[in-house]
């Protein structure tokens, strides 16, 4: 085991914040290692949701009564917390969405339809989640844009030489994830953004797997669009955000019409849209969930994202060491910079069987294509097992997981 030095995380105290970690699965203590799919929820977030419905549930923005005022203030307060967390210059640059997927679809349908035409090029990487591929493929069908794909090497590292070679005067947008959910690779997004800007292209960063594991500063990155989901960063399901530079958001047309996104509606004098960010938030939003996401970011900040990241890096190192000792096991994704994900396959045992059997021992890992079929195909695979770590995981859990895996492999091989 690697020496544990200078990590002052009190993991027992962290775990005490998560009621679900006390439960058993098939009579065994739950070992939850599916955090890249969704993280568990601390009491502070659960209580913020409960408190909202118990004390001040109301529709926001239009109400003149006290509850509506309180709900509006808390919802807009959550927007400010997201702004601070990403170091955006203004809360006007934060659009609430259902999550990463909806945020990318918003950019594709609003910015994309206004700025892209047949023959324009959008660069994505081979290691994108389907949510950062399919919205662009839809525009390929409707607008005739051209999608170019940054290749990946055998470690799961982007080929930046190839990327540079792809940038040209037709390139309008570059879409890459900050951290790959299938491989764990941390991509050099600052460099990718710099190069795209030099070619006069905009950049969208999918931060779904980065925001939970490291600090993100959209100003120093100079990202044009940055998106993430609340449920992967200890927040509720159904809420996330799009960050976009104010100047870009100002220029974007609405993508959904309805209440909340207008300043006036008239059949005679035309309809006027609200300013940013509300122009992109048609209909009643997920108020409680937004407030819950704000509470989740507060919770993360109370621990400190650097401390959280250091703990997770240590867990990842320990897990990698343990897994590499297992005969016939191959780690998929061996980039020098990785975050919190150990994807692997084992000779003579299918991922699906491993997942089902290890669940019987109380261990939750994910098996399958992780919504990243193109990059798995690159490795000649249709599925991997993926253990992914959060700040409440412990080295003892990783040891128990590795023992359980060896036990399961003994049954399968
Ligand atoms: N991008 C990445 C890198 C992801 O890991 C995920 C979730 N697995 C998504 C996008 C999609 O997020 P959501 O389903 O919350 O919209």
């Amino acid at each position: 085991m690697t020496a544990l030095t200078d990590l002052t995380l009190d993991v027992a105290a962290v775990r005490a914040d998560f009621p679900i970690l006390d439960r058993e699965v098939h009579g065994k203590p739950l070992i939850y290692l599916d955090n890249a799919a969704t993280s568990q929820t601390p009491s502070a977030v659960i209580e913020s949701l409960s408190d909202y419905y118990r004390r001040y549930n109301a529709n926001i923005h239009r109400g003149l009564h006290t509850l509506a005022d309180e709900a509006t203030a808390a919802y807009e307060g959550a927007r400010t917390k997201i702004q601070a967390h990403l170091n955006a210059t203004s809360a006007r640059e934060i659009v609430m969405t259902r999550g990463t997927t909806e945020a990318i679809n918003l950019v594709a349908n609003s910015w994309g339809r206004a700025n892209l035409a047949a023959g324009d090029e959008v660069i994505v990487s081979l290691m994108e989640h389907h949510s950062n591929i399919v919205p662009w493929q839809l525009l390929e069908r409707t607008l005739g844009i051209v999608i170019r794909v940054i290749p990946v090497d055998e470690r799961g590292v982007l080929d930046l030489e190839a990327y540079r070679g792809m940038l040209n005067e037709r390139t309008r947008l570059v879409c890459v994830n900050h951290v790959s959910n299938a491989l764990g690779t941390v991509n050099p997004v600052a460099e990718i953004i710099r190069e795209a800007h030099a070619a006069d292209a905009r950049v969208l960063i999918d931060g779904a797997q980065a925001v939970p594991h490291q600090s993100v500063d959209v100003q120093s990155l100079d990202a044009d669009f940055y998106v993430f989901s609340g449920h992967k960063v200890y927040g509720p399901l159904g809420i996330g955000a799009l960050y976009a530079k104010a100047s870009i958001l100002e220029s974007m047309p609405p993508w959904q019409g309805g209440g909340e996104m207008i300043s006036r509606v008239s059949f005679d004098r035309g309809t006027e849209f609200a300013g940013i960010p509300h122009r992109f938030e048609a209909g009643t939003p997920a108020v409680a969930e937004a407030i819950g996401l704000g509470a989740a970011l507060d919770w993360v900040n109370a621990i400190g994202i650097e401390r959280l990241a250091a703990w997770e890096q240590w867990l990842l190192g320990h897990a990698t060491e343990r897994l590499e000792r297992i005969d016939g096991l191959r780690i998929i994704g061996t980039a020098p910079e990785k975050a919190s994900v150990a994807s692997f396959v084992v000779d003579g045992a299918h991922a699906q069987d491993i997942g089902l059997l290890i669940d019987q021992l109380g261990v939750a890992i994910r098996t399958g294509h992780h919504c990243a079929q193109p990059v798995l195909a690159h490795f000649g695979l249709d599925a991997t097992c993926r253990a992914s770590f959060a700040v409440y995981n412990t080295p003892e859990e990783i040891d128990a997981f590795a023992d359980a895996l060896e036990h399961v492999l003994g049954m399968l091989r």
Side-chain angles (χ1 to χ4, degrees), residues 108-132:
N109 284 292
S110 169
W111 185 90
R113 286 180 188 280
N115 290 280
L116 299 175
D120 284 346
E121 297 185 5
V122 171
I123 297 178
V124 302
S125 92
L126 187 66
M127 68 171 84
E128 293 314 302
H129 188 277
H130 296 164
S131 63
N132 204 15

Side-chain angles (χ1 to χ4, degrees), residues 68-278:
D69 271 354
E70 289 178 8
T72 303
Y75 179 80
E76 292 301 332
R79 195 191 306 278
T80 306
K81 288 178 186 181
I82 296 168
Q83 173 220 332
H85 202 75
L86 299 180
N87 195 32
T89 25
S90 156
R92 296 168 67 244
E93 298 179 313
I94 306 297
V95 179
M96 303 291 200
T97 66
R98 283 196 296 126
T100 302
T101 304
E102 190 177 68
I104 296 172
N105 278 278
L106 189 168
V107 175
N109 284 292
S110 169
W111 185 90
R113 286 180 188 280
N115 290 280
L116 299 175
D120 284 346
E121 297 185 5
V122 171
I123 297 178
V124 302
S125 92
L126 187 66
M127 68 171 84
E128 293 314 302
H129 188 277
H130 296 164
S131 63
N132 204 15
I133 298 174
V134 183
W136 310 113
Q137 290 180 325
L138 294 176
L139 293 189
E140 189 178 36
R141 289 187 194 192
T142 51
L143 300 181
I145 64 164
V146 175
I147 296 176
R148 309 205 48 188
V149 184
I150 311 171
V152 166
D153 72 12
E154 68 293 342
R155 299 166 302 165
V157 173
L158 288 180
D159 181 343
L160 290 188
E161 268 313 299
Y163 165 59
R164 281 181 207 110
M166 278 175 196
L167 290 164
N168 68 70
E169 69 285 352
R170 298 304 314 249
T171 312
R172 296 283 173 272
L173 182 69
V174 177
C175 304
V176 290
N177 56 38
H178 199 158
V179 174
S180 155
N181 67 309
L183 308 174
T185 310
V186 180
N187 287 315
V189 290
E191 193 177 339
I192 288 169
I193 292 169
R194 219 172 26 248
E195 308 254 2
H197 286 171
D200 208 20
R202 306 272 72 83
V203 185
L204 179 149
I205 303 295
D206 169 357
Q209 298 293 344
V211 171
H213 305 296
Q214 63 177 81
S215 65
V216 171
D217 182 333
V218 290
Q219 288 188 69
S220 78
L221 287 176
D222 199 22
D224 300 298
F225 303 104
Y226 196 101
V227 299
F228 75 99
S229 298
H231 68 96
K232 294 180 196 285
V233 58
Y234 310 105
L237 292 159
I239 188 75
L242 160 69
Y243 157 81
K245 285 178 182 161
S247 57
I248 299 178
L249 264 192
E250 295 277 15
S251 74
M252 284 165 49
W255 77 304
Q256 292 180 335
E260 304 271 354
M261 52 73 72
I262 48 82
S263 61
R264 188 192 65 193
V265 176
S266 155
F267 286 113
D268 312 324
R269 290 178 295 149
T271 288
E272 284 169 17
F273 304 125
I276 64 167
H278 300 108

